[in-house]
Amino acid sequence: MKKEIPLIITFISGLLLVVALFIPHEPFGSLQERFNDWYIIVSGFTLILGVDSLLLYHYRKIKRKEKDAPYSAILIFSFVTVLIWGIYSGIKHGNPFAPTSTFLRYFYTYIFVPLGATMFALLSFFIASAAYRAFRARTFNATLLLISAGLVMLGRVPKGEETIPYFIGITLILIALIFALEGIQRVNPYEKALFFVLSILSLGVIFPSSILLKKYLPFIADWVMNIPQLGAKRGIFIGISLGAIAMSIRIILGIERTYLK
Amino acid sequence: MLKIFFIFSLLPPSEIKAYDVPNDAGGRILVEWNLSPDDSLIDFYILFRQFQKEGTWALPETVSILKKGENSFIDQGLKNGISYRYFIRAVKGGEFIDSDYSNIAIPSAQWFHKKRLSALILLIIIVSLLLFYIEKAKKGEHLYIRKIAGLDAIDEAVGRSTELGKPLLFSLGLGTIAEIPTIAGLSILKRVAKKAAEYETDLIVPCFDPVVFVAAQETVKEGYLEAGRPDLYKEGNVFFLSYEQFGYAAGVDGIMLREKPGAVFLQGYFYAESLILAETGNSIGAIQISGTTAVTQLPFFVAATDYTLIGEEMYAASAYLEKEPLSLATIKGEDWVKILLIIVILAGVTLETLSFFVKNPFLHFLKEFFTIL
């Protein structure tokens, strides 16, 4: 019965929520809200279990004098300080987050918010390092990604259209230089000629491509975002939705029971 | 009855109509009107309501003060089965002019949401297909599922970590237990735990949500039990970390830098912290297997981790890993629904393209039918 009862509860609740989607009439209409209320109540109690686990984990580390024990001591000290401070401010001001509360000012505004902001700000550096790896033009697909991402970025930033001629100019000059250097190194006269022609062609397309891109850059950026990007995204969305439906049915029917002991 | 308290040159709003809002639990009436021809001159409108009690109309009550230019309002919190009527007052300075009364509207609850008929039909088709394949699986038919590199790599990642003598780290993201990606993550966690027990490698699971923490603890315990090594299970390795997004990210990053896990699994629902975790995992040289249904975070995982389970692959994980026929059957059914949807989408695109050349409203029927509100 240890497994059967939770499975019956899951089956009935799952079925009721599906029914509630199609029947707005009471008592079905407000079922989802009621279930959510119950979830909040239950999760409120499990928070105690969570805090218990956290404190016990770090207490054990201190007790065993593990190498990171000082960090655990800091965590427990911070936890107790914040808890006592919060309760004290709550009693004094009626709410720990009242505008006059020292808890709000010193802990929340001066410590908690800047720490969160710092972590979020670090994201930009991580984006740069991940983008560097993702955009290295090692394969044809990666090159396509690099070009389209460059065009989208330039098309979406202020003054992007004005920057593009310089961007294209510098890139094509570099490409022309690579072709010329490659041509110099070649021994075969035909190959040599081919690389020199490619080098001259690269220089020759700087002006027309800059003019064209300057004019059509926002359109290209929008096209990339609205057609290929959105198409791929919708494909993933459809897959995710169908996967979610199949998984839900597995849960409702009791086939998927990983969440049960 | 036209109620005019003060006649001046302004004209009142006209054609005031009231309807019961369709497809709801009742208690709401939609009021619409034509703006006063002098809308630009007035200051604001006041909407009044009257309800009928024992055959007589109660005194008008103010419902809302509306800006000029507004021509509809949904009146909420009404009693089902009671008759209501409305009129609207256009106000300029200290003067006003009232519209006619609207028709009488009675709010009521509906037993079926008509706009969701297409969803119901789709649901019936999907469930029927899934049940059909479940029945087939019960009869013992072999069901093929394509290879998923990210899931095949789990054993490799655990093995490599064991060889290096390093622990494994598994994050279930910021999702709650009520979210399906978390449940999918738990099924992958069970497999990882089982392998970790077989290879005698430590598995660290820092959790964001306390309910998920309890479920993760049970899942890991079950995995160790299935592997026949419950003695290796360390309760302290599955723990609650923080209920704050960047606090959690900082905590997991700290664990990665201190413990230097050989393999990092990021399986669940992630938000902006996804790349912070994946890049830190990359910086310590861990083999990383990620999976999420958060479409905005997928590119970050693809860029920063070795293997990524894209969307539905995550949901297929438990079926794929366990090779359990009933679960595999649902994946097979899902594939057929996909084919069906491709046909519907192609038909819709053809009809909508045709409608550009032939102005026939019938051509929009597929689009309208599948527009779910």
Side-chain angles (χ1 to χ4, degrees), chain A residues 97 101-115:
Chain A
F97 295 99
S101 156
T102 51
F103 177 81
L104 175 84
R105 197 188 314 152
Y106 295 109
F107 166 68
Y108 192 76
T109 314
Y110 293 166
I111 300 174
F112 187 78
V113 174
L115 281 176

Side-chain angles (χ1 to χ4, degrees), chain B residues 89-216:
Chain B
R89 175 173 291 173
V91 182
K92 179 181 166 41
E95 300 165 346
F96 60 85
I97 189 159
D98 290 347
S99 71
D100 283 343
Y101 279 116
S102 72
N103 55 312
I104 294 167
I106 304 166
S108 63
Q110 279 76 51
W111 282 102
F112 183 69
H113 197 305
K114 285 179 189 162
K115 288 274 180 190
R116 289 181 182 160
L117 179 66
S118 56
L120 181 65
I121 291 171
L122 264 180
L123 187 71
I124 291 168
I125 294 170
I126 294 170
V127 173
S128 309
L129 274 167
L130 296 181
L131 293 178
F132 171 74
Y133 277 102
I134 287 172
E135 274 309 304
K136 271 191 142 186
K138 276 183 184 168
K139 284 175 189 163
E141 190 167 312
H142 173 72
L143 297 164
Y144 168 78
I145 183 166
R146 73 170 167 86
K147 278 182 88 68
I148 300 174
L151 293 172
D152 285 341
I154 289 178
D155 294 356
E156 179 199 333
V158 179
R160 203 186 114 177
S161 209
T162 310
E163 279 172 16
L164 293 168
K166 291 176 172 180
L168 306 162
L169 187 130
F170 198 108
S171 167
L172 287 155
L174 305 193
T176 64
I177 198 79
E179 286 166 61
I180 304 175
T182 312
I183 296 176
L186 283 172
S187 66
I188 299 170
L189 173 64
K190 192 174 170 184
R191 169 70 167 215
V192 173
K194 204 173 159 184
K195 280 282 154 198
E198 282 169 10
Y199 293 169
E200 298 183 16
T201 304
D202 269 356
L203 171 63
I204 305 167
V205 189
C207 299
F208 172 80
D209 184 278
V211 188
V212 174
F213 151 67
V214 179

Side-chain angles (χ1 to χ4, degrees), chain A residues 68-213:
Chain A
D68 301 322
Y71 298 118
S72 299
I74 292 169
L75 184 131
I76 291 176
F77 173 75
S78 310
F79 180 87
V80 174
T81 312
V82 168
L83 184 73
I84 294 169
W85 200 351
I87 292 170
Y88 168 75
S89 288
I91 293 166
K92 197 177 173 190
H93 303 280
N95 179 356
F97 295 99
T100 48
S101 156
T102 51
F103 177 81
L104 175 84
R105 197 188 314 152
Y106 295 109
F107 166 68
Y108 192 76
T109 314
Y110 293 166
I111 300 174
F112 187 78
V113 174
L115 281 176
T118 307
M119 278 307 289
F120 194 62
L122 281 174
L123 192 60
S124 59
F125 297 100
F126 287 124
I127 287 175
S129 66
Y132 170 71
R133 275 203 309 282
F135 291 159
R136 266 185 304 175
R138 284 169 300 184
T139 59
F140 177 69
N141 287 347
T143 315
L144 269 184
L145 185 71
L146 171 68
I147 294 168
S148 50
L151 290 174
V152 169
M153 278 192 276
L154 281 168
R156 300 244 155 161
V157 294
K159 305 276 182 193
E161 304 106 276
E162 287 169 35
T163 324
I164 193 81
Y166 301 102
F167 184 75
I168 289 288
I170 293 166
T171 313
L172 286 172
I173 287 169
L174 285 174
I175 290 171
L177 204 68
I178 292 167
F179 280 140
L181 289 172
E182 192 67 37
I184 291 166
Q185 284 174 2
R186 297 283 162 150
V187 185
N188 187 322
Y190 293 110
E191 281 185 4
K192 201 182 257 291
L194 177 72
F195 276 105
F196 281 126
V197 168
L198 283 173
S199 176
I200 293 163
L201 270 177
S202 304
L203 292 173
V205 294
I206 290 177
F207 186 70
S209 60
S210 300
I211 297 288
L212 279 175
L213 275 175

Side-chain angles (χ1 to χ4, degrees), chain B residues 34-288:
Chain B
N34 287 344
L35 292 174
S36 159
D38 302 312
D39 181 66
S40 58
L41 301 174
I42 66 140
D43 295 331
F44 54 87
Y45 294 109
I46 305 173
L47 182 68
F48 288 96
R49 169 182 64 206
Q50 277 187 299
F51 68 90
Q52 203 172 34
K53 198 180 175 186
E54 292 161 4
T56 55
W57 289 99
L59 287 171
E61 305 163 304
T62 304
V63 179
S64 181
I65 293 169
L66 303 149
K67 288 180 210 154
K68 60 184 180 183
E70 287 187 49
N71 64 347
S72 69
F73 183 82
I74 292 180
D75 191 12
Q76 305 199 40
L78 305 172
K79 279 185 187 164
N80 288 343
I82 302 275
S83 299
Y84 292 91
R85 67 178 183 182
Y86 297 81
F87 68 90
I88 190 157
R89 175 173 291 173
V91 182
K92 179 181 166 41
E95 300 165 346
F96 60 85
I97 189 159
D98 290 347
S99 71
D100 283 343
Y101 279 116
S102 72
N103 55 312
I104 294 167
I106 304 166
S108 63
Q110 279 76 51
W111 282 102
F112 183 69
H113 197 305
K114 285 179 189 162
K115 288 274 180 190
R116 289 181 182 160
L117 179 66
S118 56
L120 181 65
I121 291 171
L122 264 180
L123 187 71
I124 291 168
I125 294 170
I126 294 170
V127 173
S128 309
L129 274 167
L130 296 181
L131 293 178
F132 171 74
Y133 277 102
I134 287 172
E135 274 309 304
K136 271 191 142 186
K138 276 183 184 168
K139 284 175 189 163
E141 190 167 312
H142 173 72
L143 297 164
Y144 168 78
I145 183 166
R146 73 170 167 86
K147 278 182 88 68
I148 300 174
L151 293 172
D152 285 341
I154 289 178
D155 294 356
E156 179 199 333
V158 179
R160 203 186 114 177
S161 209
T162 310
E163 279 172 16
L164 293 168
K166 291 176 172 180
L168 306 162
L169 187 130
F170 198 108
S171 167
L172 287 155
L174 305 193
T176 64
I177 198 79
E179 286 166 61
I180 304 175
T182 312
I183 296 176
L186 283 172
S187 66
I188 299 170
L189 173 64
K190 192 174 170 184
R191 169 70 167 215
V192 173
K194 204 173 159 184
K195 280 282 154 198
E198 282 169 10
Y199 293 169
E200 298 183 16
T201 304
D202 269 356
L203 171 63
I204 305 167
V205 189
C207 299
F208 172 80
D209 184 278
V211 188
V212 174
F213 151 67
V214 179
Q217 220 171 26
E218 294 301 329
T219 307
V220 174
K221 210 183 281 179
E222 183 93 348
Y224 275 75
L225 205 65
E226 272 185 22
R229 297 303 306 268
D231 53 306
L232 290 176
Y233 171 69
K234 289 179 188 164
E235 203 178 303
N237 277 359
V238 186
F239 53 93
F240 171 74
L241 192 64
S242 171
Y243 208 43
E244 212 280 322
Q245 183 185 15
F246 290 111
Y248 178 77
V252 176
D253 276 2
I255 294 166
M256 281 190 203
L257 293 170
R258 286 192 299 274
E259 306 289 339
K260 298 266 189 304
V264 172
F265 298 87
L266 303 167
Q267 303 287 344
Y269 204 87
F270 292 84
Y271 295 84
E273 76 293 341
S274 66
L275 194 60
I276 298 176
L277 302 178
E279 274 297 282
T280 310
N282 190 278
S283 72
I284 55 161
I287 183 167
Q288 296 199 96

Side-chain angles (χ1 to χ4, degrees), chain A residues 3 18 21-26 28 39 43 46-47 49-51 53-54 57 60-61 67-68 71 112 116 119-120 123 126-127 129-130 133-134 233 236-240 242-251 253 255-256 258-259 261, chain B residues 24-25 109-113 116 120 123 126-127 130 134 176-177 180 183-184 186-187 210-211 213-214 218-219 222 236 239-241 244 246 250 258 272 275-276 279 282 293 295 303-304 311-312 315 318 324 327 330 334 337-338 341 345:
Chain A
K3 271 198 173 170
V18 174
L21 186 74
F22 300 103
I23 303 177
H25 203 289
E26 290 301 331
F28 299 101
Y39 179 78
S43 63
T46 52
L47 194 61
L49 282 175
V51 170
S53 150
L54 182 78
Y57 175 76
R60 279 188 197 134
K61 272 191 156 186
K67 63 178 167 111
D68 301 322
Y71 298 118
F112 187 78
M119 278 307 289
F120 194 62
L123 192 60
F126 287 124
I127 287 175
S129 66
R133 275 203 309 282
K233 211 165 154 179
I236 295 172
F237 267 133
I238 291 172
I240 289 172
L242 286 177
I245 294 171
M247 182 97 175
S248 307
I249 289 170
R250 286 208 294 270
I251 294 168
L253 296 179
I255 299 170
E256 175 75 57
T258 328
Y259 61 98
K261 191 183 173 185
Chain B
D24 68 354
Q110 279 76 51
W111 282 102
F112 183 69
H113 197 305
R116 289 181 182 160
L120 181 65
L123 187 71
I126 294 170
V127 173
L130 296 181
I134 287 172
T176 64
I177 198 79
I180 304 175
I183 296 176
L186 283 172
S187 66
V211 188
F213 151 67
V214 179
E218 294 301 329
T219 307
E222 183 93 348
F239 53 93
F240 171 74
L241 192 64
E244 212 280 322
F246 290 111
R258 286 192 299 274
L275 194 60
I276 298 176
E279 274 297 282
N282 190 278
T293 55
V295 179
E312 59 180 318
Y315 293 140
S318 62
E324 212 261 315
S327 297
T330 59
E334 198 187 314
V337 178
K338 249 186 240 171
L341 280 181
I345 289 169

